[in-house]
Amino acid sequence: MKDRFWAVSPLDYRYYGADKEVFERLNPYVSERAFIKYQLTIEAALAKQLAHKDWHVCTKEQANEIVQACKQVTTSEVMEEERSLHHVVRALVNCIQKKVSPSARPYVHLFATSNDITDTATALRLKDLTINVLMPDLVELEQILISLAREYADTPQIGRTHGKHAEPITFGFALATYVDRILGRIKRLVESADNLRGKFSGSVGAYNALSLRYPQDPALFEKQLLESLGLKPSEGGISTQIVEPEYVTDLAYAVVSSFSVLANLADDIRNLHRTEIGEVQEFYEDEEVGSSTMPHKANPKNFEHVKSMWKATMPRIVTVFMDQISEHQRDLTNSASERFLIELFVAFDYSVTRLTSALRKLSVNVERMRANLEMSKDWTVAEPLYILLALNGLPDAYSRTRELVRQSEKLGISLIDLVQRDQRIRAILDRLDSAQLAVLKDPSKYVGASGQRTRAVADNAELNMSMVLSQRIKGSISDLSLEHFREQVKPFYHYMGLEPNESATTSEARESDNPQSGAEVS
């Protein structure tokens, strides 16, 4: 963006607007210009429906006039018209009507109320955004995690609970927990996006206007119109002036819930960077700086960013819940608040791509993991010791082991050495097999089924992703297939021939965001 620093939101001047690749991927869905195109898509689809053989409200020629007009309307025209009307949908309708003949004019926006257009456009837009952008980006992150989990499936690491050393696991196992969690979120995101609903039931949801022409079954008109857009009406086939808000709420929750998993992962990796832990290190380019005064600093900035962006956007789910409330058939108390919803999707996707990039370059210090594991081996042996004693019939195995731990701490003698002085316990140890004894001597042998579960989770995630995405991505999921998918998918308005004709290049689109330039503001 050539001059983005007039913008108020950091999303515009620092993140989304400053990253060319992210901008070009998201802009066709999230910009105000894109939203106008989605609304024009609904108006064009309505015109086609009016001319359909089942309805015969207008002629095909009149419908084609309206469709062509929708292709020609620009965001600039709509916003200029809205200056005096203070109603953006009526402004959009006026702009269409100005471009058609008097005979076609009555059929523009016929039977529609504003939210028939905007709510349906929102559903189509968010569905496209989730499936075309968020899904492949999140799948790419999942693939990186699967690869890392498999690579370190058998690399011992001390497990930590409450910030303290607990029992050994493997680093791959730690990552596998996130593989499984993100897989669940991918499923929920796709499910929620596919369940978004539109409406065409008029100003109070009772099909009043449509009933004047089709009193027998006006809901059929709505059903067919939405089907042409790849959408459905609400599950019960009823609405007010607005679509039941729970469908968008479910998707917003899925995004926030996914973001929370990412923030948790980022925070765990960030903590492993601590000097006293030092098990991983974020990659730094030679010219990158970690501090303005400390030349040695190389901070986990990308992982910290993800948590920070989550903190900024996660509370917005409260506003989404508040926007579920609209008095009677509709009020305007969500008019301003719901406009910010799209920023949640932008912040989330930006953070997904940033976390993916950071994980690709993550350096893992296996030696440091082993050293940290050895650091507390005298204490972490307590659990396997207690379990083995209990399995061999010692009645008070837990309390006796706990008592020995306390003595070990007071006397400064290792737990295993202290155990050898207890005749009852020593007699039991003499009966243990070599594998059981190895666990008591080497903490890296006490990782349980970490490696096994890691590989099973990784395999399951790959299989499930293939099943979830099978209708959209053919064959196995890979960087190549994801890239091919990204190249193929387009916003729905593209298939209606409604590409934004006022934004020929990305640089022009970005420059037009500057109100001082005299170009269009949208």
Side-chain angles (χ1 to χ4, degrees), residues 49-73:
Q49 176 90 350
L50 293 173
H52 191 275
K53 61 182 178 62
D54 290 344
W55 306 103
H56 294 298
V57 179
C58 68
T59 66
K60 288 185 178 180
E61 290 73 22
Q62 290 165 332
N64 286 335
E65 273 194 66
I66 297 170
V67 171
Q68 293 304 314
C70 289
K71 294 178 181 180
Q72 297 167 17
V73 171

Side-chain angles (χ1 to χ4, degrees), residues 430-450:
D430 289 340
R431 299 200 299 268
L432 299 181
D433 62 37
S434 59
Q436 293 171 328
L437 287 172
V439 163
L440 299 179
K441 295 176 181 178
D442 183 355
S444 69
K445 303 296 184 183
Y446 189 58
V447 294
S450 292

